[in-house]
């Protein structure tokens, strides 16, 4: 069913890109020409977006397309470099200040929901109401209890006011977060401000089990029926096709177009997300030697999201793992390395059973991990490059009473030179290196240990093109020359095309597909990932 | 590839800018020298006399030993608030063991150091096994240790400790400086060496800077923290024995006064030589910088309260300074 508002303004299938420079009459929120740079990289370039009253509007885009940047601008986390904003037909000047557009009736539910596990539902709801009251104003608990209960009843939510957040189902937590945002919006409306409100949901379904998502959709339809608008940010095309009236797509920080959902096919939307860039990166494949020794063999891995993951890695093989966020692919490397608690399953390294995987014992078996969170887990930012690179050799083999700093310095300096780490100075602070150079240094420190198996988690996140190529070259040469096995978990399809011999696609904690050799292309990966999700 | 090449040349020009930091590294030493000259001019007859210098150096030896012990867990990011009470505990055991239980003084010292180390074992056990913040654990255990100290001593000062301990600690000043100062400096050398040249020292550093990085690189984080707490308790035990040696007696209430100065010295020390890191020689400089200021002001006729003003102020200023230095280096990191 097409919402009347949307149908009026768009008789054609493809919604025209909003007229540049002026706001669209009748739009609840109009954004024109928003740009944002972070350092040298462009996050948003000249983006326009219109949200009409009473519509559910989907916002889609691949990783790094600028979806979250635009939300963060509206929420006041980032200040745009350029751009004009109209809400309820009135222009709003930037910067919006700390609260973003909240004071204009825009509510936000972020992916992490912003909740405290052991505080109750009621306490969360009262927190917002109290931010207006200063200091030691007495909280009238009975009144608040009635107000919040009324709110929950109105949306037919059967949630106890006194339940702590961690006792709720994931979808109930999301619903509480939504009601919390709505409750602040109601205050805005009660304060005499006319007009519909806008609720922005930033990837609320990522951490929800499939069967709970419907409850969220019921809530969204209810809001729409009240005349409110919802901006639904997601990377799940099927969810967007199910629930939205219109959909806008961002690609590389630019508008890739807006469409009326009912007149769109999933193929058209996939094409908008990925663009026409289906070019292949030339690469020679050497068929994996089936007789090669098994470096790693896992069966039934179970973790936070992974349910049952079994796969093998042979000597000289690069196995890619991918899927949607929340599908479990992102935790597999940590489960194997023991940096995240393994709930079940078994891991064999060179045929030997690893009972309780832990980083130190894994290192002794020749397994190393390059974590995704480089700044938090990769290296200590306030220590030098040399100290960071020397750590693995000091933690496993604490030989003798004296660290031979001179030898270490020479060795690490030559590793850095080989990997083209800049600045060419091992005494520089690790934190002063760019992302790409930090990653090269970490890669170098581990390759220096000549590992048997390298676990990579988003290895080129935030890494520039040049460094990225250096990193692939390094991995490839260690694989081809030394027979190192690699597991590479990433949501970057291009990366898998470039380095993987075999890609496993995860969905809801299980392996649901495999693409081998020449078959690994960006569109094949995208098709497999989204197809699995639809099934 | 062209992109990469451009990067390389650009970075070649980008020399590390450390000039500013180099001067800052020695700032405290500079202020110390100014302070000495200042008091030297104001108090020509009392301040720069060998008796006063010898007294200033000697009176700080126990504090210096205690601060060096505290440095080890602090390097690993572990606050040990029980060091001062552990030191006092050890001092009382030395005295009671020797005077009441009739142990030879050296056996009493061994027993005391062993008992003190047990405090570290308990601290570490609770911190590591239950994953509790060391700050609160050592605060609680430290208080328990104060209770034990009062209990075994009946809250009375024990006098009449075997002279041979005092002889060992104080006798025959070398170059007019009491011998215990040399012991403290030897310990400083040992701590410096451990921090600089042993794998254990490097692990302490990483556990303190980023435990997650340490863990992923195979460092046994819990065990390292535990060991650091045992080390500080062990050194506090030695400090207790030296304390008895300098006074010839053990007062069960005297130790607590050492806690804040030790923390002040450790934090102030982290603003010298290698900025932002708890370091051994920096701690020595900090201890004597503080002693110089306090002695000078007291010789000028100011009262006892100067001590508290100086130590408390120094602790706060040191923490603020290290925060400023850290946020600035983070800003540089962000820009780079």
């Amino acid at each position: 069913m097409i919402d009347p508002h949307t149908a009026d303004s768009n008789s054609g299938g493809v919604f025209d890109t909003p007229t540049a420079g002026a706001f669209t009459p009748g739009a609840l929120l109009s954004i024109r020409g928003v740009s944002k740079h972070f350092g040298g990289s462009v996050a948003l370039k000249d983006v326009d977006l219109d949200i009409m009253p009473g519509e559910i509007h989907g916002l889609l885009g691949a990783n790094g397309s600028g979806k979250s940047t635009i939300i963060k601008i509206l929420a006041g986390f980032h200040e745009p470099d350029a751009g004009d904003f109209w809400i309820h037909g009135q222009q709003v000047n930037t910067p919006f200040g700390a609260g973003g557009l909240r004071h204009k009736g825009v509510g936000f539910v972020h992916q992490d929901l912003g909740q405290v596990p052991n505080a109750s539902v009621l306490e969360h709801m009262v927190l917002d109401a109290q931010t207006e009251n200063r200091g030691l104003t007495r909280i009238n608990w009975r009144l608040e209890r009635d107000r919040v209960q009324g709110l929950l009843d109105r949306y037919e939510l059967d949630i106890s006011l006194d339940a702590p957040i961690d006792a709720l189902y994931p979808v109930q937590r999301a619903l509480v977060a939504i009601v919390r945002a709505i409750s602040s919006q109601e205050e805005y409306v009660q304060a005499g401000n006319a007009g519909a409100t806008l609720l922005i949901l930033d990837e609320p379904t990522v951490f929800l089990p499939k069967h709970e998502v419907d409850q969220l959709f019921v809530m969204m339809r209810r809001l729409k029926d009240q005349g409110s608008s919802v901006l639904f940010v997601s990377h799940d095309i099927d969810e967007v096709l199910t629930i939205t009236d219109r959909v806008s797509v961002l690609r590389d920080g630019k508008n890739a177009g807006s469409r009326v959902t009912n007149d769109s096919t999933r193929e058209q939307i996939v094409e908008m997300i990925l663009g026409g860039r289906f070019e292949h990166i030339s690469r020679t494949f050497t068929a994996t030697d089936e007789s090669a020794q098994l470096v790693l063999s896992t069966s039934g891995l179970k973790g936070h999201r992974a349910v049952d993951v079994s796969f093998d890695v042979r000597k000289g093989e690069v196995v890619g793992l991918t899927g949607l966020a929340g599908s479990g692919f992102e935790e597999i490397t940590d489960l194997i390395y023991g940096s995240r608690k393994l709930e079940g399953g078994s891991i064999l390294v060179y045929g030997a059973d690893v009972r309780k995987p832990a980083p130190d014992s894994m290192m002794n078996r020749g397994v190393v991990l390059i974590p995704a969170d480089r700044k938090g887990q990769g290296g200590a930012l306030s220590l030098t490059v040399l100290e960071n690179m020397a750590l693995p050799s000091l933690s496993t083999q604490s030989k003798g009473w004296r660290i031979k700093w001179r030898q270490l310095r020479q060795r690490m300096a030559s590793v850095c030179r080989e990997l083209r780490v800049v600045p060419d100075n091992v005494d520089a602070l690790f934190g002063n290196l760019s992302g790409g150079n930090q990653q090269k240094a970490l890669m170098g420190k581990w390759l220096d240990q000549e590992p048997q198996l390298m676990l990579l988690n988003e290895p080129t996140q935030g890494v520039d093109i040049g460094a990225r190529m250096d990193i692939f070259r390094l991995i490839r040469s260690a694989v081809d020359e030394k027979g190192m096995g690699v597991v590479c978990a990433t949501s970057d399809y291009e990366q898998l095309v470039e380095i993987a011999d075999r890609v496993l696609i995860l969905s809801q904690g299980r392996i649901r597909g495999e693409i081998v050799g020449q078959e690994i292309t960006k569109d094949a990966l995208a098709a497999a990932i989204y197809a699995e999700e639809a099934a | 590839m062209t992109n990469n090449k451009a990067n390389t040349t650009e970075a070649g020009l980008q020399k590390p800018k450390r000039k500013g930091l180099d001067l800052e590294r020695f700032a405290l030493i500079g202020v110390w020298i100014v302070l000495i000259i200042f008091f030297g001019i104001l108090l020509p007859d009392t301040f720069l006399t060998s008796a006063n210098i010898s007294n200033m150096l000697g009176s700080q030896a126990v504090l210096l030993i205690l601060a060096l012990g505290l440095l080890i867990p602090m390097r690993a990011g572990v606050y040990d608030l029980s060091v001062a009470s552990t030191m006092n505990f050890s001092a009382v055991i030395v005295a009671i063991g020797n005077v009441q239980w009739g142990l030879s003084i050296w056996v009493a010292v061994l027993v005391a150091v062993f008992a003190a180390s047990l405090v570290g074992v308990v601290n570490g056990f609770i911190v590591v096994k239950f994953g509790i913040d060391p700050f609160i654990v050592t605060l609680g255990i430290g208080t328990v240790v104060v209770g034990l100290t009062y209990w075994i001593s009946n809250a009375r000062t024990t006098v009449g400790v075997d002279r041979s301990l005092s002889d060992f600690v104080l006798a025959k000043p070398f170059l007019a400086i009491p011998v215990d100062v040399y012991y403290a400096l030897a310990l400083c050398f040992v701590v410096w060496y451990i921090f600089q040249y042993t794998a254990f020292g490097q692990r302490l550093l990483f556990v303190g800077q980023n435990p997650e990085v340490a863990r992923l690189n195979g460092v046994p984080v819990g065990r390292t923290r535990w060991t650091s707490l045992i080390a500080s308790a062990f050194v506090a035990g030695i400090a207790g024995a030296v304390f008895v040696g300098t006074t010839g007696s053990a007062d069960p209430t005297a130790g607590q006064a050492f806690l804040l100065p030790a923390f002040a010295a450790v934090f102030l020390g982290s603003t010298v030589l290698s900025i932002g890191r708890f370091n051994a020689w920096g701690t020595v400089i900090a201890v004597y910088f503080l002693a110089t200021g306090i002695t000078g002001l007291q010789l000028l006729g100011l009262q006892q309260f100067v001590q508290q003003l100086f130590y408390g102020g120094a602790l706060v200023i040191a923490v603020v300074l290290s925060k400023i230095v850290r946020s600035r280096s983070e800003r540089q990191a962000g820009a780079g």
Side-chain angles (χ1 to χ4, degrees), chain A residues 337 339 376 382 387 395 398 401 403 405 445, chain B residues 193 196-197 203 209-210 212 215-217 277:
Chain A
Y337 194 59
S339 45
S382 50
E387 285 170 321
S395 55
S398 48
W401 280 95
I403 299 173
W405 280 118
K445 113 185 156 178
Chain B
Y193 183 88
Q196 206 68 27
Y197 285 107
R203 283 184 233 152
Q209 297 282 342
N210 189 330
E212 194 56 20
R215 191 171 69 99
L216 291 181
N217 282 279
R277 290 191 194 180

PDB file of all heavy atoms in Angstrom, chain A residues 337 339 376 382 387 395 398 401 403 405 445, chain B residues 193 196-197 203 209-210 212 215-217 277:
ATOM      1  N   TYR A 337      40.903 -17.591  17.943  1.00  0.00           N
ATOM      2  CA  TYR A 337      42.113 -17.125  18.638  1.00  0.00           C
ATOM      3  C   TYR A 337      41.939 -17.163  20.155  1.00  0.00           C
ATOM      4  O   TYR A 337      42.903 -17.126  20.898  1.00  0.00           O
ATOM      5  CB  TYR A 337      42.408 -15.696  18.182  1.00  0.00           C
ATOM      6  CG  TYR A 337      43.779 -15.189  18.541  1.00  0.00           C
ATOM      7  CD1 TYR A 337      44.918 -15.849  18.097  1.00  0.00           C
ATOM      8  CD2 TYR A 337      43.945 -14.037  19.304  1.00  0.00           C
ATOM      9  CE1 TYR A 337      46.175 -15.370  18.401  1.00  0.00           C
ATOM     10  CE2 TYR A 337      45.200 -13.553  19.611  1.00  0.00           C
ATOM     11  CZ  TYR A 337      46.310 -14.222  19.151  1.00  0.00           C
ATOM     12  OH  TYR A 337      47.558 -13.756  19.455  1.00  0.00           O
ATOM     13  N   SER A 339      40.223 -14.877  21.847  1.00  0.00           N
ATOM     14  CA  SER A 339      40.079 -13.540  22.419  1.00  0.00           C
ATOM     15  C   SER A 339      38.612 -13.253  22.709  1.00  0.00           C
ATOM     16  O   SER A 339      38.281 -12.234  23.286  1.00  0.00           O
ATOM     17  CB  SER A 339      40.658 -12.485  21.482  1.00  0.00           C
ATOM     18  OG  SER A 339      40.252 -12.714  20.165  1.00  0.00           O
ATOM     19  N   GLY A 376      42.066  -0.067  19.498  1.00  0.00           N
ATOM     20  CA  GLY A 376      41.784  -0.600  20.826  1.00  0.00           C
ATOM     21  C   GLY A 376      42.508  -1.898  21.105  1.00  0.00           C
ATOM     22  O   GLY A 376      42.828  -2.197  22.247  1.00  0.00           O
ATOM     23  N   SER A 382      50.268   4.911  22.644  1.00  0.00           N
ATOM     24  CA  SER A 382      51.225   5.828  23.262  1.00  0.00           C
ATOM     25  C   SER A 382      52.605   5.208  23.403  1.00  0.00           C
ATOM     26  O   SER A 382      53.493   5.818  23.988  1.00  0.00           O
ATOM     27  CB  SER A 382      50.688   6.271  24.623  1.00  0.00           C
ATOM     28  OG  SER A 382      50.302   5.135  25.356  1.00  0.00           O
ATOM     29  N   GLU A 387      58.446  -0.761  20.212  1.00  0.00           N
ATOM     30  CA  GLU A 387      57.924  -1.486  21.368  1.00  0.00           C
ATOM     31  C   GLU A 387      56.729  -2.340  20.976  1.00  0.00           C
ATOM     32  O   GLU A 387      56.603  -3.493  21.397  1.00  0.00           O
ATOM     33  CB  GLU A 387      57.527  -0.501  22.473  1.00  0.00           C
ATOM     34  CG  GLU A 387      58.732   0.063  23.190  1.00  0.00           C
ATOM     35  CD  GLU A 387      58.397   1.209  24.125  1.00  0.00           C
ATOM     36  OE1 GLU A 387      57.533   2.046  23.770  1.00  0.00           O
ATOM     37  OE2 GLU A 387      59.004   1.286  25.194  1.00  0.00           O
ATOM     38  N   SER A 395      56.515 -11.681  24.732  1.00  0.00           N
ATOM     39  CA  SER A 395      55.495 -12.306  25.564  1.00  0.00           C
ATOM     40  C   SER A 395      55.574 -13.820  25.498  1.00  0.00           C
ATOM     41  O   SER A 395      55.229 -14.504  26.439  1.00  0.00           O
ATOM     42  CB  SER A 395      54.108 -11.830  25.143  1.00  0.00           C
ATOM     43  OG  SER A 395      53.910 -12.069  23.778  1.00  0.00           O
ATOM     44  N   SER A 398      60.328 -15.253  26.627  1.00  0.00           N
ATOM     45  CA  SER A 398      61.075 -14.277  27.415  1.00  0.00           C
ATOM     46  C   SER A 398      62.434 -14.872  27.676  1.00  0.00           C
ATOM     47  O   SER A 398      62.653 -15.545  28.650  1.00  0.00           O
ATOM     48  CB  SER A 398      60.335 -13.995  28.716  1.00  0.00           C
ATOM     49  OG  SER A 398      59.978 -15.209  29.316  1.00  0.00           O
ATOM     50  N   TRP A 401      67.971 -12.501  30.477  1.00  0.00           N
ATOM     51  CA  TRP A 401      67.784 -11.387  31.387  1.00  0.00           C
ATOM     52  C   TRP A 401      67.914 -10.050  30.695  1.00  0.00           C
ATOM     53  O   TRP A 401      67.924  -9.034  31.330  1.00  0.00           O
ATOM     54  CB  TRP A 401      68.806 -11.480  32.518  1.00  0.00           C
ATOM     55  CG  TRP A 401      68.353 -12.452  33.540  1.00  0.00           C
ATOM     56  CD1 TRP A 401      68.691 -13.772  33.630  1.00  0.00           C
ATOM     57  CD2 TRP A 401      67.431 -12.210  34.602  1.00  0.00           C
ATOM     58  NE1 TRP A 401      68.045 -14.358  34.676  1.00  0.00           N
ATOM     59  CE2 TRP A 401      67.263 -13.414  35.305  1.00  0.00           C
ATOM     60  CE3 TRP A 401      66.726 -11.082  35.035  1.00  0.00           C
ATOM     61  CZ2 TRP A 401      66.429 -13.535  36.412  1.00  0.00           C
ATOM     62  CZ3 TRP A 401      65.901 -11.194  36.129  1.00  0.00           C
ATOM     63  CH2 TRP A 401      65.759 -12.419  36.809  1.00  0.00           C
ATOM     64  N   ILE A 403      66.828  -7.816  27.147  1.00  0.00           N
ATOM     65  CA  ILE A 403      66.275  -7.646  25.800  1.00  0.00           C
ATOM     66  C   ILE A 403      67.371  -7.034  24.943  1.00  0.00           C
ATOM     67  O   ILE A 403      67.948  -6.012  25.312  1.00  0.00           O
ATOM     68  CB  ILE A 403      65.061  -6.697  25.820  1.00  0.00           C
ATOM     69  CG1 ILE A 403      63.958  -7.265  26.689  1.00  0.00           C
ATOM     70  CG2 ILE A 403      64.550  -6.465  24.409  1.00  0.00           C
ATOM     71  CD1 ILE A 403      62.797  -6.312  26.888  1.00  0.00           C
ATOM     72  N   TRP A 405      67.881  -4.839  22.617  1.00  0.00           N
ATOM     73  CA  TRP A 405      67.160  -3.792  21.895  1.00  0.00           C
ATOM     74  C   TRP A 405      67.822  -3.447  20.574  1.00  0.00           C
ATOM     75  O   TRP A 405      67.161  -3.142  19.600  1.00  0.00           O
ATOM     76  CB  TRP A 405      67.023  -2.528  22.744  1.00  0.00           C
ATOM     77  CG  TRP A 405      65.921  -2.599  23.750  1.00  0.00           C
ATOM     78  CD1 TRP A 405      66.060  -2.524  25.105  1.00  0.00           C
ATOM     79  CD2 TRP A 405      64.510  -2.753  23.512  1.00  0.00           C
ATOM     80  NE1 TRP A 405      64.838  -2.633  25.719  1.00  0.00           N
ATOM     81  CE2 TRP A 405      63.867  -2.775  24.760  1.00  0.00           C
ATOM     82  CE3 TRP A 405      63.744  -2.887  22.357  1.00  0.00           C
ATOM     83  CZ2 TRP A 405      62.498  -2.910  24.895  1.00  0.00           C
ATOM     84  CZ3 TRP A 405      62.369  -3.022  22.495  1.00  0.00           C
ATOM     85  CH2 TRP A 405      61.758  -3.032  23.743  1.00  0.00           C
ATOM     86  N   LYS A 445      55.058  -7.242  12.222  1.00  0.00           N
ATOM     87  CA  LYS A 445      55.473  -7.858  13.476  1.00  0.00           C
ATOM     88  C   LYS A 445      55.051  -9.316  13.511  1.00  0.00           C
ATOM     89  O   LYS A 445      55.785 -10.181  13.975  1.00  0.00           O
ATOM     90  CB  LYS A 445      54.918  -7.054  14.649  1.00  0.00           C
ATOM     91  CG  LYS A 445      53.877  -7.753  15.480  1.00  0.00           C
ATOM     92  CD  LYS A 445      53.293  -6.881  16.541  1.00  0.00           C
ATOM     93  CE  LYS A 445      51.918  -7.438  16.881  1.00  0.00           C
ATOM     94  NZ  LYS A 445      51.225  -6.736  17.928  1.00  0.00           N
TER      95      LYS A 445
ATOM     96  N   TYR B 193      66.437  -1.300  35.320  1.00  0.00           N
ATOM     97  CA  TYR B 193      66.878  -2.372  34.438  1.00  0.00           C
ATOM     98  C   TYR B 193      65.711  -3.275  34.059  1.00  0.00           C
ATOM     99  O   TYR B 193      65.533  -3.641  32.887  1.00  0.00           O
ATOM    100  CB  TYR B 193      67.996  -3.188  35.100  1.00  0.00           C
ATOM    101  CG  TYR B 193      68.546  -4.266  34.193  1.00  0.00           C
ATOM    102  CD1 TYR B 193      69.593  -3.983  33.312  1.00  0.00           C
ATOM    103  CD2 TYR B 193      67.993  -5.538  34.183  1.00  0.00           C
ATOM    104  CE1 TYR B 193      70.069  -4.945  32.455  1.00  0.00           C
ATOM    105  CE2 TYR B 193      68.463  -6.520  33.321  1.00  0.00           C
ATOM    106  CZ  TYR B 193      69.504  -6.216  32.458  1.00  0.00           C
ATOM    107  OH  TYR B 193      69.970  -7.168  31.600  1.00  0.00           O
ATOM    108  N   GLN B 196      63.518  -1.543  31.593  1.00  0.00           N
ATOM    109  CA  GLN B 196      64.126  -1.242  30.311  1.00  0.00           C
ATOM    110  C   GLN B 196      64.543  -2.482  29.530  1.00  0.00           C
ATOM    111  O   GLN B 196      64.392  -2.528  28.328  1.00  0.00           O
ATOM    112  CB  GLN B 196      65.374  -0.371  30.570  1.00  0.00           C
ATOM    113  CG  GLN B 196      65.758   0.513  29.418  1.00  0.00           C
ATOM    114  CD  GLN B 196      64.734   1.598  29.194  1.00  0.00           C
ATOM    115  OE1 GLN B 196      64.034   2.005  30.112  1.00  0.00           O
ATOM    116  NE2 GLN B 196      64.619   2.062  27.958  1.00  0.00           N
ATOM    117  N   TYR B 197      65.035  -3.479  30.234  1.00  0.00           N
ATOM    118  CA  TYR B 197      65.726  -4.545  29.513  1.00  0.00           C
ATOM    119  C   TYR B 197      65.160  -5.938  29.717  1.00  0.00           C
ATOM    120  O   TYR B 197      65.758  -6.904  29.263  1.00  0.00           O
ATOM    121  CB  TYR B 197      67.218  -4.557  29.883  1.00  0.00           C
ATOM    122  CG  TYR B 197      67.958  -3.439  29.224  1.00  0.00           C
ATOM    123  CD1 TYR B 197      68.397  -2.339  29.945  1.00  0.00           C
ATOM    124  CD2 TYR B 197      68.200  -3.479  27.851  1.00  0.00           C
ATOM    125  CE1 TYR B 197      69.048  -1.297  29.324  1.00  0.00           C
ATOM    126  CE2 TYR B 197      68.852  -2.438  27.216  1.00  0.00           C
ATOM    127  CZ  TYR B 197      69.274  -1.348  27.955  1.00  0.00           C
ATOM    128  OH  TYR B 197      69.906  -0.322  27.322  1.00  0.00           O
ATOM    129  N   ARG B 203      56.223  -6.310  29.398  1.00  0.00           N
ATOM    130  CA  ARG B 203      54.851  -6.797  29.568  1.00  0.00           C
ATOM    131  C   ARG B 203      54.088  -5.912  30.540  1.00  0.00           C
ATOM    132  O   ARG B 203      52.922  -5.593  30.321  1.00  0.00           O
ATOM    133  CB  ARG B 203      54.866  -8.232  30.098  1.00  0.00           C
ATOM    134  CG  ARG B 203      55.186  -9.225  29.005  1.00  0.00           C
ATOM    135  CD  ARG B 203      55.094 -10.615  29.569  1.00  0.00           C
ATOM    136  NE  ARG B 203      56.312 -11.326  29.281  1.00  0.00           N
ATOM    137  CZ  ARG B 203      56.801 -12.307  30.021  1.00  0.00           C
ATOM    138  NH1 ARG B 203      56.175 -12.689  31.114  1.00  0.00           N
ATOM    139  NH2 ARG B 203      57.899 -12.899  29.675  1.00  0.00           N
ATOM    140  N   GLN B 209      49.397   0.073  29.566  1.00  0.00           N
ATOM    141  CA  GLN B 209      48.974   0.981  28.490  1.00  0.00           C
ATOM    142  C   GLN B 209      47.721   0.483  27.798  1.00  0.00           C
ATOM    143  O   GLN B 209      46.862   1.265  27.408  1.00  0.00           O
ATOM    144  CB  GLN B 209      50.092   1.143  27.455  1.00  0.00           C
ATOM    145  CG  GLN B 209      51.346   1.775  27.996  1.00  0.00           C
ATOM    146  CD  GLN B 209      51.213   3.268  28.142  1.00  0.00           C
ATOM    147  OE1 GLN B 209      50.339   3.873  27.556  1.00  0.00           O
ATOM    148  NE2 GLN B 209      52.066   3.860  28.949  1.00  0.00           N
ATOM    149  N   ASN B 210      47.631  -0.807  27.542  1.00  0.00           N
ATOM    150  CA  ASN B 210      46.463  -1.347  26.849  1.00  0.00           C
ATOM    151  C   ASN B 210      46.379  -2.851  27.093  1.00  0.00           C
ATOM    152  O   ASN B 210      46.952  -3.642  26.353  1.00  0.00           O
ATOM    153  CB  ASN B 210      46.561  -1.041  25.342  1.00  0.00           C
ATOM    154  CG  ASN B 210      45.281  -1.370  24.614  1.00  0.00           C
ATOM    155  OD1 ASN B 210      44.543  -2.271  25.015  1.00  0.00           O
ATOM    156  ND2 ASN B 210      45.005  -0.661  23.545  1.00  0.00           N
ATOM    157  N   GLU B 212      44.192  -4.986  26.557  1.00  0.00           N
ATOM    158  CA  GLU B 212      43.611  -5.768  25.467  1.00  0.00           C
ATOM    159  C   GLU B 212      44.686  -6.114  24.432  1.00  0.00           C
ATOM    160  O   GLU B 212      44.778  -7.252  23.974  1.00  0.00           O
ATOM    161  CB  GLU B 212      42.481  -4.954  24.835  1.00  0.00           C
ATOM    162  CG  GLU B 212      41.567  -5.712  23.918  1.00  0.00           C
ATOM    163  CD  GLU B 212      40.910  -6.927  24.534  1.00  0.00           C
ATOM    164  OE1 GLU B 212      40.844  -7.005  25.771  1.00  0.00           O
ATOM    165  OE2 GLU B 212      40.492  -7.815  23.767  1.00  0.00           O
ATOM    166  N   ARG B 215      46.902  -8.772  25.926  1.00  0.00           N
ATOM    167  CA  ARG B 215      46.295 -10.091  25.938  1.00  0.00           C
ATOM    168  C   ARG B 215      46.359 -10.735  24.551  1.00  0.00           C
ATOM    169  O   ARG B 215      46.697 -11.899  24.408  1.00  0.00           O
ATOM    170  CB  ARG B 215      44.827  -9.968  26.366  1.00  0.00           C
ATOM    171  CG  ARG B 215      44.138 -11.264  26.681  1.00  0.00           C
ATOM    172  CD  ARG B 215      42.779 -10.970  27.286  1.00  0.00           C
ATOM    173  NE  ARG B 215      41.889 -10.392  26.297  1.00  0.00           N
ATOM    174  CZ  ARG B 215      40.961 -11.100  25.640  1.00  0.00           C
ATOM    175  NH1 ARG B 215      40.813 -12.374  25.873  1.00  0.00           N
ATOM    176  NH2 ARG B 215      40.187 -10.508  24.763  1.00  0.00           N
ATOM    177  N   LEU B 216      46.043  -9.947  23.521  1.00  0.00           N
ATOM    178  CA  LEU B 216      46.041 -10.492  22.169  1.00  0.00           C
ATOM    179  C   LEU B 216      47.440 -10.816  21.687  1.00  0.00           C
ATOM    180  O   LEU B 216      47.614 -11.516  20.701  1.00  0.00           O
ATOM    181  CB  LEU B 216      45.367  -9.516  21.199  1.00  0.00           C
ATOM    182  CG  LEU B 216      43.872  -9.348  21.398  1.00  0.00           C
ATOM    183  CD1 LEU B 216      43.300  -8.389  20.375  1.00  0.00           C
ATOM    184  CD2 LEU B 216      43.159 -10.690  21.305  1.00  0.00           C
ATOM    185  N   ASN B 217      48.451 -10.283  22.364  1.00  0.00           N
ATOM    186  CA  ASN B 217      49.819 -10.603  21.994  1.00  0.00           C
ATOM    187  C   ASN B 217      50.397 -11.667  22.918  1.00  0.00           C
ATOM    188  O   ASN B 217      51.610 -11.815  23.031  1.00  0.00           O
ATOM    189  CB  ASN B 217      50.698  -9.351  22.015  1.00  0.00           C
ATOM    190  CG  ASN B 217      50.465  -8.513  20.773  1.00  0.00           C
ATOM    191  OD1 ASN B 217      51.004  -8.782  19.724  1.00  0.00           O
ATOM    192  ND2 ASN B 217      49.602  -7.510  20.896  1.00  0.00           N
ATOM    193  N   ARG B 277      55.253   8.184  31.375  1.00  0.00           N
ATOM    194  CA  ARG B 277      55.469   6.817  31.848  1.00  0.00           C
ATOM    195  C   ARG B 277      55.999   6.854  33.260  1.00  0.00           C
ATOM    196  O   ARG B 277      56.871   7.664  33.577  1.00  0.00           O
ATOM    197  CB  ARG B 277      56.524   6.107  30.997  1.00  0.00           C
ATOM    198  CG  ARG B 277      56.049   5.805  29.629  1.00  0.00           C
ATOM    199  CD  ARG B 277      57.032   4.886  28.975  1.00  0.00           C
ATOM    200  NE  ARG B 277      56.761   4.855  27.543  1.00  0.00           N
ATOM    201  CZ  ARG B 277      57.452   4.150  26.684  1.00  0.00           C
ATOM    202  NH1 ARG B 277      58.468   3.421  27.102  1.00  0.00           N
ATOM    203  NH2 ARG B 277      57.154   4.163  25.417  1.00  0.00           N
TER     204      ARG B 277
END
